Amino acid sequence: MGLLFLGTPLTWDEAKKHADHVRNHGITQFLRIWDRVKDRTGDELLWGDEVEYMVVAFDDEKKNAKLSLRQTEILKELGNIVGTLSSDTSPPASVPKFHPEYGRYMLESTPGSPYTGSIADLLSVEADMHHRRALARNHMKENEIPLTLTSFPRLGTVGVFTEPYYDPNNARSSHSLFLPEEITNPHARFPTLTSNIRSRRGSKVAINLPIFEDVRTPQPFVDPTIPWQRNIYPEDPEAKNGAALINHIYMDAMGFGMGCCCLQLTFQCCNVNEARRMYDALIPIGPLMLALTAASPIWRGYLADVDCRWNVIAGSVDDRTPEERGLEPLKNDRYIIPKSRYDSVDLYISSGWANKPAYNDTTVPYDEAIRNRLLDHGIDELLSKHIAHLFIRDPLVIFSETIHQDDDSSNDHFENIQSTNWQTLRFKPPPPSSSIGWRVEFRSMEVQMTDFENAAFAVFIVLLSRAILAFNLNFYVPISKVDENMQRAQKRDAVRSQKFFFRKDVVPPGYVTPVASLSSSEPSSPSEDGEPGVVTQIKDRKLRNCFPTLARPPIIDDGSVEDEYEEMSIKEIFSGKGSTFPGLLGLVEAYLGTLEATSDERKQIDKYLDLIRGRANGTLQTTATWMRNFVRSHPAYKFDSVVSQEINYDLLTAIDQIERGTLRVPELLPEDYGQPRLNGLHQTNQQPMC
């Protein structure tokens, strides 16, 4: 969400005068934090999720599902009830938090307090998500529903897609042909961010997704819903002058991307080195989880030939000038920047021996003066380059009241730039004067329709993160291959149709591949006879931080890194390939073997892992595939790629029924899917489902 501050935002022409000031003081703030906490260690595992909702208003008479623009009123009411709950008898951990997001129809929810590493907390995630959804739903109008939907299928169509309706001709900040000004959160940060991206770029953003070519889709496809001749804003001719591509779905505003919803996770790490190690290990996982959670095949009322949101958001906040995009020779700008500020990670940053220089194989521009300043302060090359790369970006929103800050007590200038580098992972230093430690945020996943699915993906990533640390796993592949995987992950039905670059051998040299052995529910006990060579397995009751760092082996294979990876299917990456690679699920199950879990606890964890396994091996569809099939099997669909108002209404109605557990979809969810118990353990719905 970024920084929300009440004040006077500067236009781009004013803000750019202060860009160097913000950068300089942002680095000063980072260095002050570094000096205070660089040696901090021993922090326990604390983690949390962020789930975003779209508030949808259903008009049953007209069969129209619209975005409700009542975010401000809903958040106010939720704030009142949460405040009441906090002062009531409920424990603080049971009181969730709700936050505004970019779209005026969006809500973000987080747990009331972080989860710990206890197995009980791990298994409370689904119930906590369910509680948040129920709380939000209970404080909306009768016809309003909070849906965990990645993208709204008819955002920006001709006709009425918001409640109330607003005219897109009044798009003062975005100048969009499709989205009204009122779609955006009214807080000054958001329209200013929208306007300043457009002003800095020198044009509107231009997003083009390939149309899904169905049997009656016009060829070539020239979108008849684009108001080609509109003449209100200076940028209006851009569409007909080439910004809107033939055979593509064209979008022209930040709202199309930042109006999407996602599922994000943040972990507190033991210390800065463990955070850097975790950051690197999860970089190659990002594209895989994007493919597995694919949930957005419909844009502006058309079926697209992609399944994910990522390139839409990347394009929606792409503030690079023509020079920075390499379209014109550098004259006024300093760098050619290969990617949008919302994109996949550009650099591995761990100082561990497993991170070979050859893995950082792409061109990464950075501010040399900032890098040298960080190096002179004693920060190593990799972390210095990472920060200096982030800081090639300009601060997009500056409030006049916050230009001058106390660099000892504030990190606002640092976060101004750090928080607007929206990448698949975020390496997060502790805030000033805080008990919070070094953190890593995992950001690639699309939000799923049900709390069960979102909890399953959250639990899987948490367990994988512990397996990485416990077994010293090595997932390094060159960054260029991660970039390629990100593009493959977004293709239609990528889980079944694509292969992804992944490492062949993920264990350190000389170590045996971890496998699931004893049941995690068996009690740990010492060897009775004390035979030599018998290793007693002491099982943990808690997921922990602070694993020993693996010493550098005396001999390391310095051969070509190209021999370290190969193309694998998602099924192979998750379920295993050959005798040496057990797959990500196998690694997680091996880690579970180090935990002391009851049979009921393990049964619930297995339900979550079975969902991941089903999605990975293709026996369960991704959300995107299910949505596409729903549209194509709808009686009103004309096989022309158009998702009409009626189809959208029925689709979102079905999604609500699935989430409630009243519609059975065995192709998407396990046969026994039902609503969670209050204690977090998934419960089969015994009532007949329609």
Side-chain angles (χ1 to χ4, degrees), residues 27 35 83 88 115 162 171 205 248 253 256 365 398 424 468 523 531 542 547 590 630 646 666 678 684:
I27 295 300
D35 289 342
D88 242 351
Y115 307 118
T162 63
V205 297
H248 285 72
F256 285 107
I398 299 174
T424 42
I468 289 166
E531 292 180 28
K542 199 171 186 181
F547 291 85
F630 181 97
E646 178 186 353
L678 290 180
T684 301

Side-chain angles (χ1 to χ4, degrees), residues 25-196:
H25 284 271
I27 295 300
T28 298
Q29 291 170 3
F30 172 74
L31 291 175
R32 300 280 169 83
I33 293 171
W34 176 263
D35 289 342
R36 285 194 293 265
V37 297
K38 67 180 186 296
D39 298 321
R40 173 177 173 158
T41 192
D43 284 323
E44 67 172 318
L45 172 62
L46 297 174
W47 66 282
D49 67 78
E50 299 174 26
V51 176
E52 294 170 343
Y53 310 89
M54 294 186 182
V55 182
V56 177
F58 286 82
D59 184 337
D60 297 332
E61 183 179 340
K62 296 182 179 179
K63 286 191 171 295
N64 194 6
K66 301 170 284 185
L67 291 168
S68 172
L69 304 185
R70 292 199 319 113
Q71 179 196 78
T72 302
E73 299 93 317
I74 293 170
L75 282 175
K76 182 178 180 181
E77 189 164 349
L78 284 171
N80 292 336
I81 192 66
V82 165
T84 302
L85 290 172
S86 297
S87 59
D88 242 351
T89 56
S90 302
S94 69
V95 182
K97 297 176 182 176
F98 293 92
H99 316 272
E101 259 296 345
Y102 179 89
R104 200 179 291 198
Y105 51 87
M106 298 171 70
L107 305 175
E108 177 188 280
S109 76
T110 57
S113 60
Y115 307 118
T116 68
S118 73
I119 295 175
D121 272 13
L122 188 72
L123 294 178
S124 73
V125 174
E126 184 181 350
D128 194 277
M129 290 179 176
H130 180 66
H131 174 56
R132 284 179 259 161
R133 188 193 296 263
L135 191 62
R137 188 170 194 150
N138 289 341
H139 293 85
M140 294 178 183
K141 291 182 177 179
E142 187 176 345
N143 70 324
E144 291 176 337
I145 297 173
L147 296 181
T148 39
L149 193 64
T150 297
S151 63
F152 188 75
R154 286 182 55 81
L155 180 69
T157 57
V158 174
V160 179
F161 59 87
T162 63
E163 176 62 43
Y165 168 80
Y166 291 100
D167 191 335
N169 288 340
N170 191 35
R172 298 183 305 277
S173 57
S174 69
H175 295 183
S176 174
L177 296 170
F178 314 107
L179 299 184
E181 184 72 17
E182 292 79 6
I183 207 85
T184 306
N185 184 319
H187 186 283
R189 167 183 164 81
F190 297 104
T192 302
L193 191 59
T194 304
S195 177
N196 286 0

Side-chain angles (χ1 to χ4, degrees), residues 435-454:
S435 62
I436 297 172
W438 294 91
R439 294 151 295 151
V440 171
E441 184 178 24
F442 188 74
R443 300 171 46 81
S444 68
M445 293 188 289
E446 309 223 308
V447 75
Q448 305 297 285
M449 296 189 296
T450 69
D451 299 320
F452 170 69
E453 295 165 280
N454 289 317

Side-chain angles (χ1 to χ4, degrees), residues 508-549:
Y511 281 72
V512 177
T513 301
V515 294
S517 52
L518 293 175
S519 168
S520 62
S521 61
E522 294 181 18
S524 56
S525 60
S527 170
E528 291 183 3
D529 51 16
E531 292 180 28
V534 174
V535 178
T536 299
Q537 184 179 22
I538 300 175
K539 295 191 175 184
D540 291 322
R541 183 64 192 154
K542 199 171 186 181
L543 287 69
R544 59 188 179 91
N545 274 348
C546 305
F547 291 85
T549 302

